[in-house]
Amino acid sequence: MYEHLKNELDYIIENKQIKTVFQPIISLRDGSILGHEALSRITCNSLIENTEVLFNTAAHHNKLWELELLCRTTALEAAYKFMIPPYSKKLFLNVNPNIIHDEQYIKGFTKSFLSEYNIKSENVIFEITERNAIKDLDLFIITIKHYKNQDYKIAIDDAGAGYSGLNLISDVNPHYLKLDMKLIQGIDTDNLKYALVKGMVEFSKASNTSLIAEGIETYEELEMLIDLGVHYGQGYYIQKPNAAISDIDTGVLNAVKRINQKKNNMNNNVISNIYIKHLCTSSYVVNPDEKVSEIYEIFKLNPNMSGLCVVKNELPVGIITQEKLAFKLSGQYGYTLYQNKPISDIMDKTFLAVDYKTSVSEVSKLSMARPNHKLYDFIVVTEDEKYFGIVTIKDLLQKTTEIEISAAKHQNPLSGLPGNLLIEQRLTQCCSGMDNYTIAYIDIDNFKAYNDCYGFEKGDMVIKLLSNLLRDNFAEEQFVGHIGGDDFVVILNKSVNESYFDDVIKKFEYEVLNFYNETDIRNGFITTINRHGNIEKLPLISLTCVITNNTGKIFNNIFDLTEHLAEMKKAAKQNKYR
């Protein structure tokens, strides 16, 4: 079917009718740009409809090498032209797996060649698509190892679109795994897609592979992917491909931050958001060219040292632990064999590295997901990908235990929301000059009467109903706390009035009717016996909400603030039942 397109193909290649457009790949944690995928586009009118047909035609007529060369050169020239050199982000280049081991291709990616474009090999990622059948798998795997040894990174593209994808992923052990857009589109409404991507997230933890979701087109898809823990994303919702490089739209960045804030606040455990940098120690580092014998001597002089990080141009490139070095040098000829070799020959290049602003709890999950033989390796901490320090497993476990104890101590056991200590900390921040804030004091009316009539178990269900509604509606914006009993506080980082809370009040007062019997709902009150032994009719449960913010009275300390809120709540209740 591609016979009649040969002339079209020849014209495109000979006249260089290809341009490069870039689509950003961003972190789904903070919106920062990981890098850009270089995409080729045909610039002339042609019977060849798109690049997929173009490459299929080239494969049919044995012109893949010529087309790949044109696309690669155009991409590197565009990267140099449109991006401020030296290019410090990741540049994702699509490559056919049957071309990547060609001698000409390998020669075309020497470090000296890349230096002409001010691009480092560690910033080049080869995207290998699942859809292309690999003719010689053994040769392909050898080639991949060659590129990895040259500090290039590997990404498997269109994961989930092929039938032999899992075998390919296992054989290649890529740095990045790009989830096919068909898996991503509609993931917020498709349980099967959700389950598949969730499984890939668990796989990524075990394999230390970063996931990139392709084809994100809606806010809902973005929200679901962040909730699942996918690392990176690209797609039209984030930014369409363009010949020029531009910043990510602030609306998209705010959406990413807002969704993450909501996710992190689901447990409202402020302590668990301690950054790993607070556990970090600055360890002795070595360069890749240092001899094994020299590293051995360092360990002999420092028997308590867990290991060393190998750093090149400020970037961590490997680790070596004392235990694994000793094992490598053991045996009759171990030391003789390795003593004069550079440490880069035996260092571990597949180590766990995390950004210094990663939470302790997240690092704990990542470290425990490693294979058994790596569980006790130290963790490398980076800042802007540069070496920052290390964290030992001992320090990590100690801090994680502290966090769990603190969480149990400072959270309300019924609602799971922060208790009084954390509430006081937030209120103190408001008093100390926070730019914009609103503090809402929310109380359940007639809760004691309901408890007396329906019992504590039903009463606990009412408390949980309100805590869940407040969490779902306001945790995204700032802070929800449980003072105790039927009292709650919401602290927003903006100024609003009481009507802002009307919707959640109406929703609570509607849904709480599910916890009454039909007679009480029909009557509109419950009948109970008061402390004097008399029968008394009391209204059904409702909510009282009072607020204060920085546009009104200024408070110098937390005592004045809480006293003011208590007075407002008392006055509001008196007016309601007067």
Side-chain angles (χ1 to χ4, degrees), residues 279-315:
L279 278 67
C280 197
T281 57
S282 181
S283 175
Y284 186 77
V285 299
V286 295
N287 67 65
D289 298 324
E290 291 196 43
K291 291 183 179 180
V292 169
S293 58
E294 295 170 348
I295 306 303
Y296 179 72
E297 290 299 321
I298 292 173
F299 283 141
K300 279 182 64 177
L301 295 172
N302 300 275
N304 294 323
M305 182 183 289
S306 59
L308 294 168
C309 187
V310 184
V311 176
K312 181 180 180 181
N313 297 326
E314 300 186 71
L315 302 174

Side-chain angles (χ1 to χ4, degrees), residues 31 73 85 107 149 152 207 218 258 285 312 381 427 443 488 509 514 538 549 555 571 573:
T73 305
K107 289 178 181 178
N149 288 334
Y152 292 100
S207 62
T218 68
R258 188 166 61 247
V285 299
K312 181 180 180 181
V381 181
L427 292 177
D443 175 64
F488 293 80
E509 292 179 353
N514 293 319
L538 292 173
N549 55 44
F555 301 95
K573 281 180 172 288

Side-chain angles (χ1 to χ4, degrees), residues 218-463:
T218 68
Y219 176 90
E220 290 74 21
E221 290 167 358
L222 177 70
E223 185 174 33
M224 183 60 70
L225 292 166
I226 291 175
D227 185 60
L228 281 167
V230 175
H231 308 93
Y232 301 100
Q234 70 180 111
Y236 279 17
Y237 180 81
I238 295 168
Q239 192 178 100
K240 293 181 179 180
N242 201 299
I245 299 301
S246 59
D247 294 332
I248 305 300
D249 182 77
T250 54
V252 173
L253 293 177
N254 289 336
V256 171
K257 293 175 182 177
R258 188 166 61 247
I259 295 167
N260 274 284
Q261 190 174 46
K262 181 178 180 180
K263 178 186 176 184
N264 293 335
N265 284 339
M266 285 305 289
N267 295 324
N268 282 279
N269 186 0
V270 177
I271 301 174
S272 69
N273 289 328
I274 295 173
Y275 291 150
I276 194 67
K277 69 177 183 179
H278 297 299
L279 278 67
C280 197
T281 57
S282 181
S283 175
Y284 186 77
V285 299
V286 295
N287 67 65
D289 298 324
E290 291 196 43
K291 291 183 179 180
V292 169
S293 58
E294 295 170 348
I295 306 303
Y296 179 72
E297 290 299 321
I298 292 173
F299 283 141
K300 279 182 64 177
L301 295 172
N302 300 275
N304 294 323
M305 182 183 289
S306 59
L308 294 168
C309 187
V310 184
V311 176
K312 181 180 180 181
N313 297 326
E314 300 186 71
L315 302 174
V317 294
I319 66 169
I320 185 74
T321 65
Q322 187 159 186
E323 177 188 2
K324 290 177 182 176
L325 179 63
F327 178 79
K328 200 79 175 178
L329 302 183
S330 63
Q332 188 174 359
Y333 302 107
Y335 187 81
T336 303
L337 181 62
Y338 291 108
Q339 62 175 330
N340 292 319
K341 291 187 176 182
I343 195 64
S344 58
D345 281 8
I346 64 170
M347 68 184 183
D348 185 355
K349 296 180 180 179
T350 58
F351 54 94
L352 176 59
V354 298
D355 184 79
Y356 77 119
K357 284 189 176 180
T358 308
S359 71
V360 170
S361 56
E362 179 66 18
V363 175
S364 179
K365 291 177 185 176
L366 292 172
S367 64
M368 292 301 103
R370 293 182 293 181
N372 288 339
H373 67 282
K374 290 179 177 286
L375 275 180
Y376 298 102
D377 291 354
F378 61 86
I379 299 145
V380 178
V381 181
T382 62
E383 180 181 7
D384 295 329
E385 300 189 359
K386 295 180 180 179
Y387 176 79
F388 187 81
I390 67 167
V391 172
T392 65
I393 292 299
K394 178 182 177 182
D395 290 342
L396 180 64
L397 289 175
Q398 285 179 336
K399 179 56 66 174
T400 303
T401 302
E402 290 175 17
I403 289 172
E404 290 175 350
I405 293 172
S406 297
K409 186 186 298 183
H410 301 304
Q411 283 183 338
N412 186 286
L414 177 59
S415 64
L417 294 172
N420 288 334
L421 177 63
L422 299 180
I423 293 171
E424 288 175 10
Q425 290 175 354
R426 287 300 182 101
L427 292 177
T428 300
Q429 290 176 4
C430 295
C431 294
S432 62
M434 191 173 176
D435 289 339
N436 287 300
Y437 69 80
T438 296
I439 304 166
Y441 188 176
I442 299 171
D443 175 64
I444 303 177
D445 303 323
N446 306 305
F447 180 72
K448 184 180 184 303
Y450 178 88
N451 243 357
D452 292 343
C453 182
Y454 281 88
F456 289 106
E457 187 173 345
K458 280 285 189 73
D460 286 349
M461 293 172 69
V462 171
I463 294 293

Side-chain angles (χ1 to χ4, degrees), residues 440-444 466 470 486-490 501 543-545:
Y441 188 176
I442 299 171
D443 175 64
I444 303 177
L466 180 55
L470 294 177
D486 57 338
D487 292 345
F488 293 80
V489 64
V490 175
F501 297 87
L543 283 186
T544 291
C545 174

Side-chain angles (χ1 to χ4, degrees), residues 7-191:
N7 291 336
E8 301 281 327
L9 171 68
D10 291 341
Y11 178 83
I12 290 171
I13 294 175
E14 291 170 10
N15 294 278
K16 299 181 179 180
Q17 296 295 303
I18 289 290
K19 72 173 183 179
T20 300
V21 294
F22 297 97
Q23 187 171 39
I25 298 168
I26 68 168
S27 166
L28 296 187
R29 290 179 180 169
D30 59 15
S32 60
I33 295 177
L34 170 70
H36 299 83
E37 180 179 0
L39 300 164
S40 297
R41 296 289 187 264
I42 301 169
T43 57
C44 63
N45 293 325
S46 175
L47 294 175
I48 298 178
E49 300 174 357
N50 52 51
T51 51
E52 183 175 357
V53 175
L54 179 66
F55 275 90
N56 289 338
T57 304
H60 182 79
H61 292 288
N62 295 317
K63 293 272 188 176
L64 264 181
W65 164 248
E66 292 86 346
L67 181 59
E68 287 272 5
L69 176 63
L70 173 60
C71 291
R72 180 176 78 246
T73 305
T74 304
L76 293 173
E77 288 175 350
Y80 181 78
K81 178 180 178 182
F82 288 110
M83 304 174 195
I84 300 173
Y87 181 55
S88 59
K89 304 295 183 183
K90 307 297 182 187
L91 184 63
F92 288 73
L93 299 174
N94 291 280
V95 56
N96 187 294
N98 296 309
I99 288 291
I100 196 171
H101 53 68
D102 189 290
E103 286 188 14
Q104 290 177 292
Y105 194 94
I106 293 173
K107 289 178 181 178
F109 268 99
T110 60
K111 293 187 178 182
S112 59
F113 171 74
L114 286 180
S115 66
E116 296 178 21
Y117 298 97
N118 279 324
I119 297 175
K120 296 180 180 179
S121 58
E122 56 262 32
N123 286 331
V124 174
I125 290 90
F126 294 124
E127 279 197 29
I128 300 159
T129 181
E130 257 197 50
R131 291 193 177 101
N132 294 112
I134 299 172
K135 296 174 182 178
D136 189 337
L137 184 59
D138 291 337
L139 178 59
F140 174 73
I141 292 172
I142 291 171
T143 305
I144 291 299
K145 288 181 179 178
H146 163 78
Y147 283 115
K148 285 184 175 180
N149 288 334
Q150 298 299 311
D151 294 328
Y152 292 100
K153 302 294 188 294
I154 304 297
I156 298 294
D157 194 16
D158 297 333
Y163 292 102
S164 60
L166 293 179
N167 289 331
L168 180 62
I169 293 167
S170 176
D171 290 333
V172 172
N173 188 20
H175 301 90
Y176 299 95
L177 196 57
K178 301 191 77 175
L179 302 178
D180 185 67
M181 63 174 61
K182 290 183 180 178
L183 268 181
I184 302 306
Q185 290 170 356
I187 190 173
D188 53 304
T189 58
D190 191 316
N191 292 333

